[in-house]
Amino acid sequence: MASTWPAGQETTALDYQRVFTQAIDRLHAEGRYRVFIDILRNKGMFPNARCFAGHNGPKPITVWCSNDYLSMGQHPKVIAAMEEALHDVGAGAGGTRNIGGNTHYHIDLEAELADLHGKEGALLFTSGYVSNEATLATLAKILPGCIIYSDELNHASMIAGIRNSGCEKRVFRHNDLAHLEELLAADDPAVPKLIAFESVYSMDGDVAPIAAICDLADKYNALTYLDEVHAVGMYGAHGGGISERDGVAHRITVIEGTLAKAFGVMGGYIAADRVVIDVIRSYAPGFIFTTSLAPVLVAGVLASVRHLKSSSAERDGQQAAAAMLKRLFAESGLPVMPSTTHIVPLLVGDPVKTKKISDILLAEYGVYVQPINYPTVPRGLERLRFTPGPSHTEEMMQELTQALVEIWDRLELELRQAA
């Protein structure tokens, strides 16, 4: 077959491997190449774990960056429920919710989650990322001409859902009510509107003014979408999140949460009125065409949710641990960032140094905390993000603080005037 290229023009084959290699090299040069630490947690002994990276055989470590905030992934009730389900029904769900994968465990958990948030219904997804992306994309497509107003620090999954919806969007400055109202007021009152935001922002540990945002939603006839992934299980009398704690859950159109953090297992969900749930169930590709969560996982979550609805010991222990670690860091002059929640961020401000501190902690002190770099946080605000929980002891915290002070001195980083 004759070439279709004009005479005299030569083509050069694209070196795909070189393009891929250069992309990875850029990450290394910027100090933000991500390394996955090879660990195994010790059942019933969290935050103790074993690390297999960089040495022969497992080395004991203490985990300081887990999102299993309340150690529920290690709770005897959760493990027992999962073992019972495994032996009762086997491993997988066997299909999508529509085709063979709608087990009684799923029905029970959705009822429990709806009750947790005071809503008429709930819907399970395979992850919190999928629940955000699928729900936001679907809601905006169903509402003709919808505009979504998104907090600038919203999670990547929310941003993906908004982008995939194809609707217009407005990004308001983080927790800035005046800016949000300015954007709402500038748009046609007859156009459908949806305000999307989080309760706890996990990198800074600050909290959204939920009631005030609901006031604006009422004023401008907007729906509200609240991501509670870093709050469910941990706030409110029954673990319903910041919206339960602040008594405003009934004012939120859709509450989204995860089953992989405070509840300690895997999955995501939304809670809303029956019509909204039915719309997402019926139209969202991310729900319709995905094999449902394995019954063994759902059974574990069900046990976790039920336990945390009636037990405040884990929540109280977490809050006490977070307060203590913040105090120890501040008293030692470490640059702990302001946080009103369980998140304890320690500012470094340089990606290479952040990674270096993390490496030293793991290799020399048996402390595992993952460096947090761009794009998770803005450049110049790189940090170590600690998530102390009810299983972290005062002795662990003191040893961690002493290690950090030694490393700060070794790397000639600046300490603050001790509080």
Side-chain angles (χ1 to χ4, degrees):
M1 181 176 178
S3 172
T4 59
W5 289 95
Q9 286 192 9
E10 296 182 0
T11 60
T12 303
L14 178 62
D15 186 346
Y16 292 101
Q17 196 68 25
R18 179 176 60 84
V19 175
F20 295 144
T21 301
Q22 287 175 342
I24 296 299
D25 288 344
R26 286 195 298 272
L27 295 178
H28 282 291
E30 294 172 12
R32 57 189 188 94
Y33 180 76
R34 296 172 187 244
V35 177
F36 299 161
I37 305 301
D38 182 2
I39 67 172
L40 287 175
R41 301 200 295 174
N42 301 329
K43 188 185 80 168
M45 299 179 65
F46 188 79
N48 296 318
R50 294 156 282 166
C51 179
F52 293 81
H55 38 75
N56 294 323
K59 172 186 175 181
I61 62 168
T62 303
V63 179
W64 280 98
C65 56
S66 175
N67 283 341
D68 185 1
Y69 291 130
L70 302 180
S71 305
M72 289 304 296
Q74 307 287 311
H75 198 283
K77 288 183 181 178
V78 174
I79 294 171
M82 295 179 76
E83 289 176 339
E84 180 180 349
L86 180 65
H87 293 291
D88 182 27
V89 301
T96 64
R97 290 290 294 278
N98 184 51
I99 307 176
N102 185 42
T103 76
H104 192 64
Y105 288 107
H106 293 75
I107 301 299
D108 277 353
L109 179 55
E110 286 175 342
E112 202 73 48
L113 292 168
D115 176 74
L116 176 65
H117 295 292
K119 300 298 184 185
E120 293 178 347
L123 192 66
L124 293 175
F125 294 83
T126 50
S127 73
Y129 188 105
V130 175
S131 55
N132 268 336
E133 191 282 327
T135 304
L136 284 167
T138 302
L139 278 177
K141 286 177 180 176
I142 292 294
L143 294 168
C146 181
I147 300 173
I148 296 184
Y149 303 80
S150 175
D151 188 289
E152 66 177 342
L153 294 188
N154 278 344
H155 191 265
S157 57
M158 300 175 76
I159 295 170
I162 295 167
R163 181 185 299 116
N164 292 341
S165 75
C167 73
E168 287 192 53
K169 70 175 185 296
R170 313 278 186 258
V171 179
F172 62 93
R173 290 186 291 271
H174 178 52
N175 281 349
D176 189 330
L177 296 171
H179 189 216
L180 173 57
E181 181 163 21
E182 177 186 328
L183 295 173
L184 287 164
D187 286 318
D188 184 347
V191 170
K193 299 174 177 65
L194 174 65
I195 305 171
F197 61 108
E198 301 182 33
S199 59
V200 174
Y201 289 84
S202 65
M203 290 302 129
D204 294 306
D206 58 340
V207 175
I210 301 176
I213 291 176
C214 289
D215 290 341
L216 289 178
D218 292 343
K219 182 176 180 180
Y220 292 95
N221 193 28
L223 303 179
T224 48
Y225 183 98
L226 177 63
D227 177 316
E228 285 259 43
V229 297
H230 291 280
V232 290
M234 295 173 284
Y235 297 90
H238 306 94
I242 298 294
S243 58
E244 183 195 17
R245 186 197 71 178
D246 293 354
V248 292
H250 64 286
R251 302 183 66 187
I252 301 295
T253 310
V254 179
I255 295 175
E256 184 268 348
T258 183
L259 309 172
K261 293 182 170 62
F263 295 129
V265 189
M266 182 181 178
Y269 68 92
I270 58 168
D273 67 36
R274 286 191 181 90
V275 175
V276 171
I277 294 297
D278 206 13
V279 164
I280 304 305
R281 184 188 72 87
S282 302
Y283 282 91
F287 173 80
I288 296 170
F289 299 107
T290 300
T291 298
S292 65
L293 282 169
V296 64
L297 299 175
V298 180
V301 176
L302 189 57
S304 183
V305 172
R306 285 173 173 167
H307 175 80
L308 289 175
K309 274 185 172 181
S310 61
S311 172
S312 61
E314 292 80 8
R315 288 188 281 277
D316 294 343
Q318 181 196 44
Q319 291 299 315
M324 178 177 292
L325 191 62
K326 291 174 189 176
R327 177 178 60 79
L328 290 173
F329 280 0
E331 289 174 351
S332 299
L334 291 164
V336 59
M337 302 170 71
S339 165
T340 60
T341 62
H342 58 282
I343 307 295
V344 184
L346 196 60
L347 181 64
V348 181
D350 178 274
V352 175
K353 290 178 180 177
T354 306
K355 179 66 166 59
K356 181 67 173 176
I357 296 168
S358 174
D359 289 345
I360 294 173
L361 283 170
L362 185 63
E364 299 183 21
Y365 291 94
V367 166
Y368 172 40
V369 59
Q370 194 73 11
I372 306 295
N373 294 330
Y374 178 84
T376 307
V377 296
R379 297 180 195 275
L381 294 179
E382 293 83 4
R383 67 198 64 178
L384 299 171
R385 174 183 174 272
F386 296 87
T387 54
S391 300
H392 289 93
T393 66
E394 181 176 357
E395 181 182 6
M396 289 176 181
M397 296 186 206
Q398 290 174 340
E399 290 176 352
L400 170 64
T401 303
Q402 292 166 5
L404 285 165
V405 169
E406 187 280 318
I407 296 169
W408 239 253
D409 180 64
R410 188 193 314 185
L411 299 182
E412 298 181 339
L413 298 172
E414 184 177 349
L415 289 171
R416 295 172 178 171
Q417 185 68 35

